[in-house]
Amino acid sequence: MNFFRGVMGGQAVGPQPSGAETIQKLCDRVASSTLLEDRRDAVRALKSLSKKYRMEVGTQAMDHLINILQTDRSDSEILGYALDTLYNLICNDEEEEQDESEALADAVTPIPVAGKHKNVSMPDENAQKQADDLGAQFTDTFIQDPEHVTLLLTLLEEFDFHVRWPAVKLLTALLKNQCVQVQGIILVSPMGVSRLMDLLADSREVIRNDGLLLLQQLTKSNAAIQKIVAFENAFERLLDIITEEGSSDGGIVVEDCLLLLLNLLKNNSSNQNFFKEGSYIQRMKPWFEVGDDNSGWSAQKVTNLHLMLQLVRVMVSPVNSPGATASCQKSMYQCGLLQQLCTILMATGVPADILTETINTVSEVIRGSQVNQDYFASVNAPSNPPRPAIVVLLMSMVNERQPFVLRCAVLYCFQCFLYKNQKGQGEIVATLLPSTIDANSISAGQLLCGGLFSADSLSNWCAAVALAHSLQDNLTQKEQLLRVQLATSLGKPPVSLLQQCTNILSQGDKIIRRGSKVQTRVGLLMLLCTWISNCPIAVTHFLHNQENVPFLTAQISENLGEDERLVQGLCALLLGICIYYNDNSLENYTKEKLKQLIEKRIGKENFVEKLGFITKHELYSRAAQKPQPVFPSPEQMLFDHEFTKLVKELEGMITKAVHKSSEEEKKEEEVKKTLEQHDNIVTQYKELIREQDAQIQELKEQVASMSSQNEQMQTTVTQQLSQIQQHKDQYNILKLKLGKENQSQSNSQGDGSQMNGLQTEEITQLREELEELRRQHALLQTQLGDKDALINTLRSEASQTAEVSTGGTDNTELHKELEALRSQVQSQSAEINQMKTERQELLRRAEAGSSAAVPGSDGSLDAAKMAELESRLAAQTTETERLKEEGKSSSQSRAELEQQLASATSTVAILQTEKAKLQTEVQESKKEQDDLLMLLADQDQKIHSLKLRLKDLGETVDDEDDLDARDQTDDDEDEEDED
């Protein structure tokens, strides 16, 4: 220990060792000492030297320190020293190192070493660069073996503060230096991310807060880890921490949570969907309840609210998929988040940067969502009188005293309000029409016109772009805007808005000096290009002014500077639109004449070259990247995102249109006409096919109905055939009876009178049945006639259509079936006629028999027989009624039995279920009983073994057998005493 006394305290005697030698001795002590206290003191000394002698400690002691982490897991103090030393070697943030070392460093006197290192209070850039390189070098050495990172992850499970906190800091430093490599190791480590997520649940705020910083580094640009962290319930924990810390009024911890949330959600559609589906958007609304008193805005609150607004924008960013963005926009409106943002938008005392970011956030929440756009249109500012929020924002946009970023945000908000919103476009344009102008109030259209013709070039550009968005992809509003008239000065007639825009570009005096700025001219040219594109009527109005085309050709043909080349390109684009969308209604400016003018004054190649200047411009590429207008300075505000799409669409078409000759155009027109004719023919055929399809469908329905009728008729015919067969049988029986009676007629007059009576009743019944058959026959004949007429009609319709082969086949089959039915009915009618003739024969014979018969003395006998027959008939009728009653009673009893059976079945099912439950409970109780028996047996065995050990040790132990014997002896003695 004399060595450590010399190192740690007191004045050393003799020559002092150098820093490298001291570190070498300490490393040897760590490697060779057998006592834990010696190793601990050596590691503590290395920790105190690790900042001043970073290179020496890192190169000599790193392996020994890692070995300490692996072998001395039982001592938390030496683990903490080793982790702190490694952190000092790897971390590059010197200020952070100094603060943390002061917080937890032991009071250790540094080794006095003369002339080795200079104390530098403020390291310069080269020193910082060397420190960064040194940290990266030691990080590479440490993570060369992935097991070292896995070792740190296992140390995080230690609850001891002196182990867990340094391990968190060390992992954070490793991620800062080599993020991708360490992320890969943690990703493949079992339960690696889960161990890091457990840090958020630590009750010690220092560890929890540093765990947030660790997760921030871990989730950077790694979608796989972001998903794992999100599904480890990170959103719930982070939102709880934000709420506990006071939301926007919270401190740096809230900022760290918001930064981690941004890492998890940005450019990660899976996590965004999980965040929305988990109803976490609704939990964001209380963040923006800033209250009425907006005077106290601390720097931390501004930072927190700024990050919260960015988090909302991440969910509704235009770069997300349209479906996901629309779903989030809907949720934000339904939970009231949009309403809360609009409240901040119209509040007073809000800092400028928060107001700007709120405007941008509201812009993306309403972009492309009709419901949200309608709500935003209904928002009024709390002024007297109330003004629409759109008007208040536009007043800020055209006011040159407002901050530049705020004006850009208002322009973006206006663009998002009109994006895919034809209703809103119509409302903006309507404020410019003569019939809707209100002299007592300021409208959006008046503000745009005022900004369009103001002296501020930035206001000119913003107003021109905003007005162009009012016309984007809306032919109706382009035509309506042609009606707008402006009063330029007293005593002069009003001019159209289109004319005034072209006057600013082409006329002299003050207008030219004011419009000579590149920004103003670019804005007006973008407005004109958007206005007349895909609108032949607007092209005609533009060409009607005789000065416009000469001005454009003169601008394009001149050789101007670099700044004017962009204006030349836009002029070429405007002239190309006049050619491409020209309907040749003006004789002086037809397509052919304009192309001839370009060839003579400019040259086709020169025209195309000037047109190509637009897309080659640097600011064009920047504006084409994203919809939000973000410019570092007002002078670079030249292109609009939607206009870049229009240029990309029109450039190729205009180039082809200019290079085409008149013959090619004629051929194209002929081809177009041919295509139009072909389209018309195709349309006619389509309509014909639709009609035929409808007819075929109708015929199919008719065939289906006729098939059903045919089936009904077949059923009727079958019934009639059965009835005819019955009549035939009755007729044959009657014929046999008549033959027998005729033979016995000569023998007995009484028998003849009986036969005559029976024959008369049967003949009457037969006559009624024949009349019924006749009526049925007539009805069948009528139905057959209707079916024949319907079949003839279907045949005529089927012959007129070309695609009803299926229907014709069905009609032919139906006709065949009807022909078969007709033949059957004819055969039935023949049989009926035959029966008629036989009936007449029977009547004739019966009349002859009745005239020949004479009533005799056997009338009483006939009456007796008739009475007997009537009594038998009455008995049969009674029997039939009785059987019917019995049938009803049996059906009722059957229904009751079925109900009883159903109830019994349900009772059996319930009993079976209860039986199964009881069997399960019995089995469980048996298992519990078996377990108890096993436990009792184990306890008995343990008691027995313990008794044996006690006996071996010489202790007296009363066994249960001895106790039982002793009890028995006592009982016997008691009995003897009693005796």
Side-chain angles (χ1 to χ4, degrees):
M1 297 300 292
N2 291 330
F3 171 76
F4 290 105
R5 292 192 188 96
V7 171
M8 307 304 292
Q11 294 293 329
V13 180
Q16 297 178 356
S18 64
E21 294 173 352
T22 303
I23 293 168
Q24 181 63 43
K25 291 179 180 179
L26 291 173
C27 292
D28 294 340
R29 177 73 63 179
V30 171
S32 60
S33 295
T34 57
L35 292 177
L36 180 61
E37 294 180 356
D38 293 346
R39 292 198 303 274
R40 185 191 305 130
D41 293 338
V43 174
R44 183 167 57 225
L46 287 173
K47 173 190 170 184
S48 64
L49 297 172
S50 59
K51 292 182 180 179
K52 190 173 183 180
Y53 299 96
R54 188 178 179 189
M55 171 66 77
E56 291 80 358
V57 174
T59 53
Q60 298 183 35
M62 181 172 285
D63 293 337
H64 300 292
L65 294 172
I66 294 173
N67 189 35
I68 289 292
L69 297 179
Q70 293 172 343
T71 57
D72 292 332
R73 293 288 298 273
S74 59
D75 186 63
S76 60
E77 190 174 357
I78 192 171
L79 288 178
Y81 292 149
L83 291 170
D84 285 334
T85 308
L86 289 171
Y87 174 73
N88 293 337
L89 298 176
I90 290 172
C91 182
N92 294 321
D93 193 352
E94 293 186 357
E95 294 180 0
E96 183 180 355
E97 293 174 7
Q98 185 177 358
D99 295 339
E100 292 174 350
S101 62
E102 290 177 357
L104 289 177
D106 296 328
V108 178
T109 304
I111 300 175
V113 180
K116 292 299 291 183
H117 292 275
K118 294 181 180 180
N119 294 325
V120 181
S121 60
M122 296 293 290
D124 56 5
E125 294 182 358
N126 293 329
Q128 183 64 35
K129 185 178 180 181
Q130 291 177 359
D132 293 343
D133 295 340
L134 201 58
Q137 177 183 350
F138 290 147
T139 302
D140 292 337
T141 304
F142 186 85
I143 67 174
Q144 191 171 5
D145 187 358
E147 291 297 326
H148 297 162
V149 179
T150 306
L151 178 63
L152 291 180
L153 293 175
T154 57
L155 290 175
L156 287 177
E157 295 180 352
E158 297 287 339
F159 188 74
D160 194 301
F161 180 81
H162 295 88
V163 177
R164 200 173 201 186
W165 188 43
V168 172
K169 294 191 298 179
L170 180 56
L171 272 173
T172 306
L174 291 172
L175 283 165
K176 284 182 180 179
N177 293 337
Q178 294 292 346
C179 185
V180 178
Q181 290 84 346
V182 180
Q183 281 176 338
I185 297 171
I186 294 175
L187 186 61
V188 300
S189 177
M191 300 296 292
V193 179
S194 299
R195 289 169 179 165
L196 299 179
M197 285 298 300
D198 291 338
L199 298 174
L200 299 182
D202 200 306
S203 58
R204 294 160 294 192
E205 292 187 359
V206 176
I207 295 179
R208 184 198 66 183
N209 298 342
D210 282 352
L212 287 172
L213 299 177
L214 172 59
L215 290 171
Q216 284 182 26
Q217 298 294 329
L218 180 67
T219 55
K220 281 184 178 179
S221 305
N222 193 311
I225 293 180
Q226 290 168 3
K227 292 178 183 178
I228 297 173
V229 171
F231 283 97
E232 288 282 347
N233 206 21
F235 294 142
E236 186 74 28
R237 295 185 185 181
L238 292 174
L239 293 175
D240 289 341
I241 294 173
I242 291 172
T243 304
E244 292 170 3
E245 296 292 329
S247 297
S248 59
D249 294 323
I252 190 69
V253 178
V254 174
E255 179 182 350
D256 292 336
C257 291
L258 293 171
L259 289 171
L260 179 54
L261 284 172
L262 284 173
N263 281 352
L264 295 175
L265 293 174
K266 197 170 184 179
N267 299 324
N268 194 318
S269 58
S270 176
N271 283 1
Q272 290 174 8
N273 185 55
F274 182 64
F275 191 84
K276 178 185 70 67
E277 295 296 334
S279 300
Y280 296 116
I281 291 178
Q282 288 82 340
R283 297 184 60 179
M284 297 167 67
K285 182 190 173 185
W287 296 352
F288 305 101
E289 295 175 357
V290 294
D292 297 332
D293 185 13
N294 293 324
S295 57
W297 285 81
S298 63
Q300 187 60 55
K301 181 175 181 178
V302 171
T303 302
N304 291 343
L305 205 56
H306 193 80
L307 291 172
M308 290 172 178
L309 291 170
Q310 285 187 359
L311 197 61
V312 176
R313 292 185 65 184
V314 164
M315 299 299 296
V316 292
S317 175
V319 300
N320 298 341
S321 63
T325 300
S327 180
C328 292
Q329 288 172 336
K330 182 179 178 181
S331 298
M332 290 177 183
Y333 174 75
Q334 290 176 346
C335 73
L337 179 59
L338 174 60
Q339 293 84 330
Q340 199 66 43
L341 292 174
C342 291
T343 303
I344 299 176
L345 201 65
M346 295 291 106
T348 56
V350 180
D353 52 349
I354 292 298
L355 181 60
T356 302
E357 189 64 21
T358 305
I359 294 172
N360 289 327
T361 305
V362 171
S363 305
E364 294 183 351
V365 173
I366 68 173
R367 188 176 189 269
S369 174
Q370 186 65 51
V371 176
N372 294 3
Q373 289 167 341
D374 292 342
Y375 171 77
F376 183 71
S378 66
V379 176
N380 289 324
S383 59
N384 192 14
R387 288 178 178 172
I390 298 174
V391 173
V392 176
L393 292 175
L394 288 178
M395 292 172 67
S396 301
M397 186 185 74
V398 297
N399 187 355
E400 56 184 315
R401 289 177 295 181
Q402 293 292 338
F404 171 64
V405 290
L406 179 64
R407 299 174 74 180
C408 292
V410 173
L411 176 61
Y412 183 48
C413 185
F414 190 74
Q415 292 173 352
C416 292
F417 170 67
L418 298 179
Y419 182 72
K420 294 183 179 180
N421 184 10
Q422 294 191 354
K423 178 183 176 183
Q425 290 175 329
E427 292 173 353
I428 298 297
V429 174
T431 59
L432 287 167
L433 299 178
S435 59
T436 58
I437 293 177
D438 187 3
N440 297 323
S441 63
I442 300 176
S443 65
Q446 293 173 357
L447 289 172
L448 291 178
C449 281
L452 193 62
F453 306 124
S454 70
D456 180 26
S457 60
L458 184 59
S459 298
N460 301 152
W461 191 91
C462 291
V465 170
L467 200 55
H469 276 264
S470 302
L471 308 175
Q472 195 77 36
D473 299 327
N474 197 327
L475 180 60
T476 303
Q477 302 310 322
K478 291 178 181 179
E479 296 175 355
Q480 288 291 324
L481 200 63
L482 295 173
R483 298 169 49 203
V484 177
Q485 300 290 323
L486 301 176
T488 55
S489 60
L490 293 175
K492 292 185 179 181
V495 297
S496 66
L497 178 61
L498 182 65
Q499 183 64 41
Q500 185 65 12
C501 291
T502 56
N503 289 341
I504 294 176
L505 290 172
S506 59
Q507 289 183 358
D509 299 335
K510 295 181 181 180
I511 298 179
I512 258 198
R513 287 198 297 272
R514 189 169 61 194
S516 60
K517 295 181 181 179
V518 173
Q519 194 173 38
T520 300
R521 299 170 72 187
V522 168
L524 289 172
L525 286 168
M526 286 196 299
L527 172 59
L528 291 173
C529 291
T530 305
W531 191 347
I532 70 173
S533 65
N534 200 20
C535 185
I537 298 176
V539 172
T540 303
H541 278 72
F542 181 80
L543 294 176
H544 190 72
N545 186 354
Q546 301 294 328
E547 298 177 356
N548 289 339
V549 174
F551 168 74
L552 293 177
T553 54
Q555 286 287 321
I556 299 169
S557 59
E558 289 182 3
N559 293 321
L560 302 176
E562 185 69 26
D563 294 337
E564 295 293 331
R565 284 188 175 184
L566 180 59
V567 177
Q568 287 182 318
L570 292 172
C571 290
L573 178 65
L574 184 59
L575 186 57
I577 292 173
C578 292
I579 295 173
Y580 189 79
Y581 291 107
N582 196 337
D583 57 358
N584 296 327
S585 58
L586 293 177
E587 185 177 354
N588 295 331
Y589 294 110
T590 60
K591 286 185 179 181
E592 187 60 30
K593 290 185 178 180
L594 287 175
K595 287 195 290 185
Q596 291 176 1
L597 184 64
I598 289 174
E599 190 171 1
K600 291 179 182 178
R601 299 281 183 88
I602 305 170
K604 292 183 179 180
E605 299 299 330
N606 190 21
F607 177 85
V608 173
E609 182 181 358
K610 297 291 177 67
L611 182 63
F613 285 161
I614 303 174
T615 55
K616 294 177 182 178
H617 202 279
E618 178 185 358
L619 297 178
Y620 174 89
S621 302
R622 183 180 299 177
Q625 292 176 359
K626 56 182 179 179
Q628 183 181 1
V630 180
F631 303 98
S633 63
E635 294 78 15
Q636 296 184 356
M637 211 167 175
L638 291 179
F639 283 106
D640 173 58
H641 178 74
E642 294 296 328
F643 181 73
T644 58
K645 295 180 181 179
L646 181 66
V647 173
K648 186 177 180 181
E649 179 184 352
L650 292 177
E651 184 180 8
M653 297 190 296
I654 291 173
T655 303
K656 290 180 182 178
V658 170
H659 280 293
K660 285 175 186 174
S661 61
S662 58
E663 295 179 356
E664 291 178 349
E665 283 193 351
K666 289 180 181 179
K667 289 181 180 179
E668 281 194 357
E669 289 179 358
E670 291 177 357
V671 170
K672 286 182 180 179
K673 290 180 180 179
T674 306
L675 291 175
E676 288 177 358
Q677 293 176 357
H678 181 266
D679 291 340
N680 292 332
I681 294 171
V682 170
T683 304
Q684 292 177 0
Y685 275 114
K686 285 181 179 179
E687 292 176 356
L688 180 61
I689 289 169
R690 289 193 188 98
E691 293 176 359
Q692 290 179 351
D693 286 339
Q695 291 177 0
I696 289 171
Q697 188 64 29
E698 184 179 356
L699 289 172
K700 285 182 177 179
E701 292 176 357
Q702 291 179 1
V703 167
S705 63
M706 290 175 64
S707 299
S708 62
Q709 291 178 4
N710 183 20
E711 292 177 357
Q712 293 177 0
M713 289 174 64
Q714 286 182 350
T715 305
T716 305
V717 169
T718 304
Q719 293 176 357
Q720 290 178 355
L721 287 174
S722 63
Q723 290 177 1
I724 290 170
Q725 186 64 36
Q726 291 176 1
H727 292 319
K728 282 183 178 180
D729 296 339
Q730 291 177 1
Y731 174 74
N732 292 328
I733 294 170
L734 185 58
K735 191 174 180 181
L736 292 173
K737 285 182 178 180
L738 286 174
K740 292 179 180 178
E741 289 174 355
N742 288 331
Q743 290 177 2
S744 60
Q745 184 178 4
S746 57
N747 298 327
S748 174
Q749 292 181 353
D751 293 339
S753 63
Q754 182 183 359
M755 181 272 294
N756 185 21
L758 292 174
Q759 188 181 19
T760 303
E761 292 177 359
E762 291 177 354
I763 287 172
T764 303
Q765 184 180 0
L766 185 59
R767 188 177 297 163
E768 292 175 356
E769 292 175 354
L770 286 174
E771 289 297 331
E772 181 65 26
L773 287 174
R774 189 178 298 163
R775 284 196 299 271
Q776 292 179 358
H777 178 70
L779 179 61
L780 286 174
Q781 290 290 344
T782 305
Q783 290 179 355
L784 285 174
D786 294 340
K787 298 303 177 184
D788 289 338
L790 183 59
I791 288 170
N792 291 328
T793 305
L794 292 174
R795 281 180 178 173
S796 61
E797 291 178 356
S799 62
Q800 292 176 0
T801 57
E803 299 177 10
V804 292
S805 59
T806 306
T809 306
D810 294 340
N811 290 332
T812 305
E813 294 177 355
L814 184 59
H815 181 65
K816 291 180 179 180
E817 292 178 357
L818 289 174
E819 289 294 336
L821 288 174
R822 188 180 288 115
S823 63
Q824 290 179 2
V825 171
Q826 287 176 358
S827 63
Q828 291 176 8
S829 62
E831 292 178 355
I832 289 169
N833 290 329
Q834 184 179 357
M835 292 175 67
K836 283 181 181 180
T837 55
E838 293 179 353
R839 182 183 65 83
Q840 290 176 358
E841 180 66 23
L842 287 171
L843 288 174
R844 184 180 59 77
R845 293 169 61 182
E847 289 174 357
S850 61
S851 60
V854 177
S857 60
D858 295 335
S860 59
L861 183 60
D862 294 336
K865 289 183 177 181
M866 289 297 292
E868 183 182 357
L869 290 173
E870 288 177 358
S871 62
R872 289 172 62 187
L873 180 61
Q876 290 179 355
T877 305
T878 305
E879 183 68 18
T880 302
E881 292 296 332
R882 185 180 63 78
L883 291 174
K884 287 182 179 178
E885 291 296 331
E886 290 179 357
K888 289 182 180 179
S889 62
S890 63
S891 61
Q892 292 177 357
S893 61
R894 180 184 177 184
E896 293 175 356
L897 288 174
E898 287 178 351
Q899 291 178 356
Q900 293 176 2
L901 179 62
S903 61
T905 305
S906 61
T907 305
V908 169
I910 294 169
L911 291 174
Q912 287 179 352
T913 306
E914 293 179 353
K915 179 183 176 182
K917 289 181 180 178
L918 290 173
Q919 289 178 350
T920 306
E921 292 176 357
V922 168
Q923 290 178 357
E924 291 178 354
S925 62
K926 285 183 178 180
K927 289 181 181 179
E928 292 176 357
Q929 187 177 4
D930 293 338
D931 295 338
L932 289 172
L933 291 174
M934 292 293 293
L935 289 172
L936 289 173
D938 293 339
Q939 289 178 356
D940 291 338
Q941 185 66 28
K942 289 179 181 178
I943 291 170
H944 184 66
S945 61
L946 290 173
K947 286 180 179 180
L948 291 177
R949 290 179 63 185
L950 288 172
K951 287 180 179 180
D952 294 338
L953 293 173
E955 294 291 336
T956 58
V957 179
D958 294 335
D959 292 338
E960 290 182 358
D961 296 337
D962 296 340
L963 290 174
D964 292 341
R966 190 175 301 168
D967 292 340
Q968 184 67 30
T969 307
D970 293 338
D971 292 340
D972 294 340
E973 290 176 356
D974 292 339
E975 289 177 358
E976 289 177 356
D977 293 339
E978 289 176 359
D979 293 339

